[in-house]
Amino acid sequence: MTGSCFAERLARYVPLTDSEKRALERLENNPRDLPRGATITRENDNCDEMYVLRHGWAMSYLILDDGSRQILRLHFPGDMFGTSSAAFGEATESLVTMSHATLCPFDKQALRVVFDEHPRLAALFFIIAQAERVSLTDRLASLGRTSAKARVAALLTDMLVRLRFLNKDISDTIPLKLTQEEIGDATGLTAVHVNRMMRALAEDGLVMRNNGNLVIRDEQGLARIANYVNRYAELDLGWLPAPR
Amino acid sequence: MTGSCFAERLARYVPLTDSEKRALERLENNPRDLPRGATITRENDNCDEMYVLRHGWAMSYLILDDGSRQILRLHFPGDMFGTSSAAFGEATESLVTMSHATLCPFDKQALRVVFDEHPRLAALFFIIAQAERVSLTDRLASLGRTSAKARVAALLTDMLVRLRFLNKDISDTIPLKLTQEEIGDATGLTAVHVNRMMRALAEDGLVMRNNGNLVIRDEQGLARIANYVNRYAELDLGWLPAPR
DNA sequence: CGACCGTTTGAGTGCGGTCAAAAGAAGTGG
DNA sequence: CCACTTCTTTTGACCGCACTCAAACGGTCG
């Protein structure tokens, strides 16, 4: 037990040294409990913090001038988020919990220590940033070039793949904590149309609803119509610096 | 003269030490000249390289199963691109030149040296990655939640802002090296509809075509209808480690 | 029990796509 | 330099996917 959710995540890629573990634990020595729907940061607020999510779900989003919302990413346990604070003094996105959640804020000074003293962790942070960038480019293609049905399918597939990565016990059933309105805001659709697409996916035998849970009945099929590429499979860590 | 296009870019944020300059120059000691339209990398090809663009324009894109294309980002001189190689062994996107171009490939081993010996540069790389991530989230909101006209306006505004950042002489006129088909592939529209939107923007007095160049006649107005947020203005570098 | 929120369904509309054709621009080779 | 091909832009007519508006239904919480 490392006591650090984030260290556990990273340890799945490379065995960490004690010194590295201690450095990561320092990012999580200030956990905070929040109820569902709590605002963590609002866009444009001054913000020097980033977060590691220990329990629960969160999401980041943008509100446009006309009041519409674009959900940027869902955050699950072990995720580091709010990382744009590393580059900007003001939050570039709003962060909110989607369930009761425990999160660990840490400030940029803590990040400085990691970069200064732990080059291998720094490289891992960079790798994670690149993986998230790729995830965003995949979603860009999804919104820009695929149908409503495909976009919903892509969101659901991505949730399944990511949640299963965190919990190997998950096979085909995931909690669907999102309202259809939120699915719409993530996929660039209206809630009404999301409802129709969910029904269509169910009629195609791809998914099934089961009191609050979503059952993916045909993962291959869902991934296929979603144009989904599973990139979580493996990262290339061959170039990492020696640990300290 | 540092001899490194990328070092010049970074030096605009922080004065670099000689040692840092030398490390960056090593990333560019293998320049390659390519004609317009040359493929640099194809999606799914094995790839251990990243690139610094010294002259010319390039772009990255994805091709979907149905053959449609999503352009992910335009790359201008001084940009580092193809960075997803840092995380993956296979290219996650295709890269192609949009003009005669000089680019400098470097491999992951070179990146390892930077992370190992130059924590401040590593932190800068991380900051740049975050800034690009934010740029992608802005585009996600653009594709997901704004009209065709707004998307085209956002692309044009972003090009103006980025090109002016590279060349202070640019005020309102930029070369438009993109075909309308390419603008469509970047914004998730068809070439035909891009044509209509360009005409609409011209009729609104926002832009003007001038033998291959685009004149932005009302930058404020264009940015407003685009829902454009200029985030290039300033990065927060307060937390950077000490240089080496 | 009512108030509220989310889901579901229907009817009608419109934005952006599709198809088609012509005109213009830019290479390419003789 | 011209003839030819190919690419790009432009315009028109029509279509359909996803949006809008509206109403009913169901679950949940005070």
Side-chain angles (χ1 to χ4, degrees), chain A residues 36 56-57 76 98-100 159 174-179 182 212:
Chain A
R36 179 187 145 92
W57 290 19
F76 300 139
M98 303 184 70
S99 70
H100 175 82
M159 286 178 61
I174 58 176
L176 191 51
K177 295 191 211 276
L178 300 188
T179 65
E182 286 166 337

Side-chain angles (χ1 to χ4, degrees), chain B:
Chain B
M1 285 298 118
T2 61
S4 161
C5 200
F6 188 48
E8 276 174 41
R9 170 78 68 92
L10 295 190
R12 297 183 58 175
Y13 297 117
V14 272
L16 301 173
T17 64
D18 287 345
S19 157
E20 286 175 330
K21 282 181 194 165
R22 264 178 275 121
L24 292 173
E25 272 165 29
R26 249 170 305 183
L27 302 183
E28 287 189 47
N29 62 10
N30 190 22
R32 215 189 325 159
D33 252 47
L34 290 176
R36 176 188 146 94
T39 297
I40 303 165
T41 311
R42 218 179 300 272
E43 215 181 323
N44 298 323
D45 280 0
N46 286 329
C47 181
D48 284 320
E49 290 181 331
M50 278 152 283
Y51 308 91
V52 168
L53 188 55
R54 189 175 282 179
H55 295 304
W57 290 20
M59 67 174 178
S60 47
Y61 63 88
L62 294 177
I63 300 290
L64 308 203
D65 289 348
D66 67 355
S68 63
R69 174 176 66 171
Q70 176 65 51
I71 293 178
L72 303 172
R73 188 165 172 87
L74 303 181
H75 306 291
F76 300 137
D79 285 351
M80 178 165 59
F81 66 110
T83 48
S84 55
S85 300
F88 301 98
E90 296 176 357
T92 58
E93 56 200 32
S94 297
L95 301 174
V96 64
T97 58
M98 303 184 69
S99 70
H100 175 83
T102 309
L103 57 90
C104 306
F106 62 93
D107 65 19
K108 300 183 194 183
Q109 300 315 315
L111 198 61
R112 183 181 56 67
V113 174
V114 170
F115 272 76
D116 220 0
E117 299 176 4
H118 296 282
R120 191 171 71 156
L121 293 181
L124 271 173
F125 280 30
F126 186 68
I127 286 173
I128 290 171
Q130 291 307 328
E132 294 216 346
R133 200 185 60 77
V134 170
S135 173
L136 277 169
T137 61
D138 285 339
R139 292 195 54 208
L140 203 67
S142 180
L143 295 210
R145 285 297 184 221
T146 77
S147 70
K149 198 161 153 186
R151 292 188 219 174
V152 174
L155 178 69
L156 299 179
T157 304
D158 193 55
M159 286 178 60
L160 175 64
V161 169
R162 288 177 64 198
L163 288 172
R164 189 161 51 203
F165 183 81
L166 297 183
N167 178 358
K168 297 297 182 197
D169 295 339
I170 292 175
S171 65
D172 63 352
T173 304
I174 58 177
L176 191 51
K177 295 191 212 274
L178 301 187
T179 65
Q180 294 182 355
E181 176 122 39
E182 287 166 337
I183 296 175
D185 286 347
T187 53
L189 302 168
T190 58
V192 172
H193 205 58
V194 167
N195 184 277
R196 289 191 252 260
M197 294 302 102
M198 292 291 286
R199 188 154 59 80
L201 291 174
E203 280 169 4
D204 293 349
L206 297 170
V207 304
M208 205 176 87
R209 244 86 50 81
N210 195 340
N211 55 291
N213 288 333
L214 183 81
V215 184
I216 283 84
R217 298 177 62 191
D218 178 1
E219 187 176 340
Q220 304 297 320
L222 197 67
R224 185 155 13 84
I225 71 154
N227 230 289
Y228 186 81
V229 183
N230 183 352
R231 313 220 191 238
Y232 298 90
E234 45 209 298
L235 298 178
D236 174 20
L237 306 171
W239 65 274
L240 287 177
R244 284 191 196 161

